[in-house]
Amino acid sequence: MAKKSHRANRPSPHQVSFIHPVSGKRTKKCFKTKAAQEDAFRYYDNLEYLKRTNQDWRRVYYQDQKSVTLKDVFDLFRSVYLVDMDNNDTVRRYKAVLNSIIEVFPESTPVEMIRGLERHMSVGLRKGWGIYKAHRESMGRTRRGINSYLSDARVAFEFARENGGKDNNGLITFNPIKKGRMGDKFKNSELEPLDVFEWTTANIQRLFNNQAMPEYHRELVMVYALIGVRATELAGYNHKDRNKELHWHHIDFTKGEIMLWVGKQGSVARRKRAPLHPEVVKIFKKWKEVYQLERPIPHAYRWLWGKMNEVQQITGLNFTNHDLRRLKAQLTEKKTHDAKAAAYSIGDKSVEMVKGHYAPTSMSTLRHLNDEAFAQLTTELEGNA
């Protein structure tokens, strides 16, 4: 049955909890006045009684409450959440995510109906978000990309669960995209394997020992690989976010340190001190004193991308800019046999992310572990354990 409660020192202290007739989950609504609480209590208590006794609760429920559609949720998200967002790239991405859903489900689709929808696809019968996933796959989208879109879409629905509605306490009562092991995204076992560029000894030698490589290109590669950051964090110009631009005052030549921009959308972005290898300090000094560059790399990301493309053509190596970040992680893992050290070397806290996307366990580490296991076995057999 419905329950009343009171929480002092809250903007809306009078609360009513009830079993939602559609989702079946206990839901809570908050009110500013006791009178509004009493009205809501009588309404939801009666609704629970009608459903519990198998009477026509839908007529009462839908007479008072219009079904919330995808259009309602997405309009709220665009007009309230996205309008205050400064990162235009993130805004465009969210809009693309919402549009991808509208391609599959009409805007007039009630949110509470999505999980129960069925549709015959080219791959067979699909239900709920399985319809969306099958449609995106038929368009050539990867399963990892589809999972990423579902994560972003869940943000929009979660925002509507917390905002909007009559009292701005929520436009919807549940998030239609479930997360977790039994959620709606593709499971890890269903994802295509990641193809991480492997920096073999031969590849490294081709990159650094190529006689046709101009000196400045070689220095760029060395700086990029030894610092291990993203290309946008090295660029001296960034018209989208001036805070990310790297200037000479971010480098301490005496201490051999650099202030790097870390953080991303949704987290606390700031500059963080990191050590520089002496080889990188030497190159930076040359760029400043000999080349007299106004900034370490006085260009935008596009220029840096072009230079790395020239390096690819010279060496014949088919690598991306981000693969140079992987180079530092793989070198660290190979030398230390430590995935956590590899993560720290590129400023990443997630060991599993680094192992999966940057530096998988190397043969060098596996051989090291074999040697250690054999050494311990020898110790045990000799009775010296």
Side-chain angles (χ1 to χ4, degrees), residues 61-77:
Y61 179 72
Y62 288 111
Q63 177 180 339
D64 183 69
Q65 181 170 328
K66 179 179 77 72
S67 294
V68 177
T69 65
L70 286 175
K71 185 178 187 306
D72 297 327
V73 171
F74 293 170
D75 283 350
L76 174 69
F77 189 70

Side-chain angles (χ1 to χ4, degrees), residues 105-155:
F105 304 116
E107 282 190 326
S108 58
T109 305
V111 172
E112 62 192 29
M113 286 179 56
I114 293 177
R115 299 190 60 80
L117 293 175
E118 292 184 350
R119 191 177 298 177
H120 287 277
M121 316 286 289
S122 59
V123 291
L125 180 66
R126 291 293 182 268
K127 187 173 181 178
W129 291 106
I131 300 171
Y132 174 80
K133 293 190 291 186
H135 175 79
R136 297 293 290 175
E137 272 201 288
S138 69
M139 296 175 62
R141 303 298 187 264
T142 67
R143 292 189 169 187
R144 292 181 186 276
I146 294 169
N147 275 2
S148 179
Y149 264 36
L150 284 173
S151 294
D152 288 342
R154 197 174 190 282
V155 173

